Amino acid sequence: MTIRMPAGKHLAVCLSPDFDAQSVWMGTFRSQSQSLMSRGEFGAEVGTPRLLEVFRRFDIRTTWCVPTHTMQTFPRALAAVVEDGHEVAAHGVFHEYIPALDAIEELRLLELQVKQHEAILGARPRGYRSPALDVTDNTLGFLTELGFDWDSSLMGRDFEPYRPRMVVAYDLENGNRFGDPSGVLEFPVSWVLDDFPELENFKGSPLIQSNATVLARWIDSFDFAYERCGGGLMTWTLHPQTIGRSHNLLMLERFLEHVASHDGVWFPTLSEVYDAWDEA
């Protein structure tokens, strides 16, 4: 199993924005605070144009995971993403918290987002990322039934795609039992390669990390993959309302300058990686 890299390429780096805008605050955080709504608006009106400009400057194509609520609330920002040639993947309807849903409601919302995605963009999404990076026992099966190619929500690997197996029986004394490999290909993510939990501020939260600390962690992760995991894949999760803030954007630019200084780095969309995946 391997990624068929383009000639001269050594490592795939996927910078994959989650364009949540206001939906993350309404869905996962269950709030309609006007202050939080303004943070989502910043992501659409300021963060997204800034991020698109950086991607143009570094000649990077990306996969944007976008709730259909964002598509309908900020259509001009969505159009700018599409016009720049980026892929748009599914990311919920309103950034709903998936583990809180029963199977019927989870499937209904998955079907709704596919329908809305088709109506707005004229094509079905090929990939899915769960809001809040969490799934249920049913999620991967539903994605397979609905014809998705890939998921990017789980953390069972770091630098390689894989077919995830769900735990189907939990046993503290005799070990857990896995089900069959999923019909969707997994592009793993990681909280430490995600800007939101590291760089967002929740009313002075002491959990926020310094940019120097985050930048060093990102560089160390890239250096490890580049030196030891050739032929692999790294997936970053970025949020326009977070990485688009001035100090964070400067950090991203410093990181990209480091990455771009290495030969053989490929910046594909996640569906391009799927098309290059060889399971033989």
Side-chain angles (χ1 to χ4, degrees):
M1 296 182 290
T2 184
I3 301 171
R4 299 185 304 275
M5 294 279 176
K9 299 303 182 183
H10 173 73
L11 181 71
V13 173
C14 294
L15 302 174
S16 181
D18 285 1
F19 185 13
D20 301 330
Q22 295 174 337
S23 67
V24 65
W25 306 112
M26 298 173 64
T28 297
F29 289 91
R30 299 174 177 84
S31 174
Q32 295 182 10
S33 157
Q34 291 292 349
S35 177
L36 295 178
M37 293 303 102
S38 73
R39 290 166 69 167
E41 182 183 8
F42 176 92
E45 303 294 347
V46 182
T48 291
R50 286 179 177 173
L51 199 53
L52 289 173
E53 189 279 327
V54 170
F55 291 157
R56 287 193 296 270
R57 186 156 23 103
F58 283 89
D59 193 22
I60 295 172
R61 290 184 68 237
T62 62
T63 295
W64 291 57
C65 300
V66 188
T68 53
H69 181 278
T70 298
M71 296 182 189
Q72 297 172 94
T73 307
F74 299 104
R76 288 185 302 174
L78 175 70
V81 171
V82 174
E83 287 167 7
D84 272 16
H86 300 284
E87 178 183 22
V88 178
H91 192 45
V93 175
F94 54 90
H95 210 276
E96 55 272 16
Y97 184 57
I98 302 300
L101 305 176
D102 62 31
I104 294 174
E105 180 67 359
E106 181 181 3
L107 180 58
R108 185 188 75 83
L109 289 173
L110 273 171
E111 291 174 334
L112 176 59
Q113 68 195 269
V114 170
K115 180 179 179 181
Q116 292 180 331
H117 197 112
E118 285 186 299
I120 295 168
L121 292 171
R124 296 171 63 89
R126 295 184 62 186
Y128 173 83
R129 176 172 293 147
S130 172
L133 302 184
D134 212 341
V135 301
T136 70
D137 295 348
N138 302 306
T139 304
L140 298 185
F142 287 157
L143 294 177
T144 301
E145 290 174 17
L146 292 174
F148 281 86
D149 290 330
W150 55 264
D151 175 68
S152 184
S153 310
L154 301 176
M155 308 181 191
R157 307 288 187 277
D158 50 7
F159 305 132
E160 61 181 291
Y162 70 106
R163 297 280 179 181
R165 300 174 300 155
M166 306 302 287
V167 176
V168 295
Y170 297 87
D171 190 325
L172 294 175
E173 297 186 2
N174 299 296
N176 293 341
R177 181 166 58 84
F178 290 99
D180 295 331
S182 172
V184 294
L185 185 63
E186 185 68 32
F187 297 131
V189 290
S190 170
W191 287 120
V192 298
L193 302 182
D194 186 322
D195 59 348
F196 195 94
E198 304 258 88
L199 298 173
E200 269 299 346
N201 190 304
F202 298 93
K203 296 183 179 180
S205 166
L207 298 178
I208 191 169
Q209 299 290 303
S210 74
N211 287 63
T213 297
V214 174
L215 178 59
R217 185 177 298 130
W218 286 12
I219 287 175
D220 283 348
S221 297
F222 170 79
D223 287 349
F224 182 98
Y226 187 85
E227 295 166 9
R228 307 189 191 188
C229 304
L233 162 73
M234 303 190 74
T235 304
W236 263 262
T237 309
L238 305 175
H239 297 76
Q241 63 185 287
T242 304
I243 204 68
R245 293 286 176 182
S246 56
H247 54 296
N248 294 335
L249 197 72
L250 290 175
M251 183 202 75
L252 176 65
E253 291 174 340
R254 294 186 187 107
F255 172 71
L256 290 176
E257 287 166 359
H258 177 79
V259 172
S261 71
H262 292 70
D263 292 331
V265 176
W266 180 34
F267 292 104
T269 67
L270 287 171
S271 287
E272 286 176 325
V273 177
Y274 179 87
D275 291 338
W277 178 246
D278 187 350
E279 269 182 290

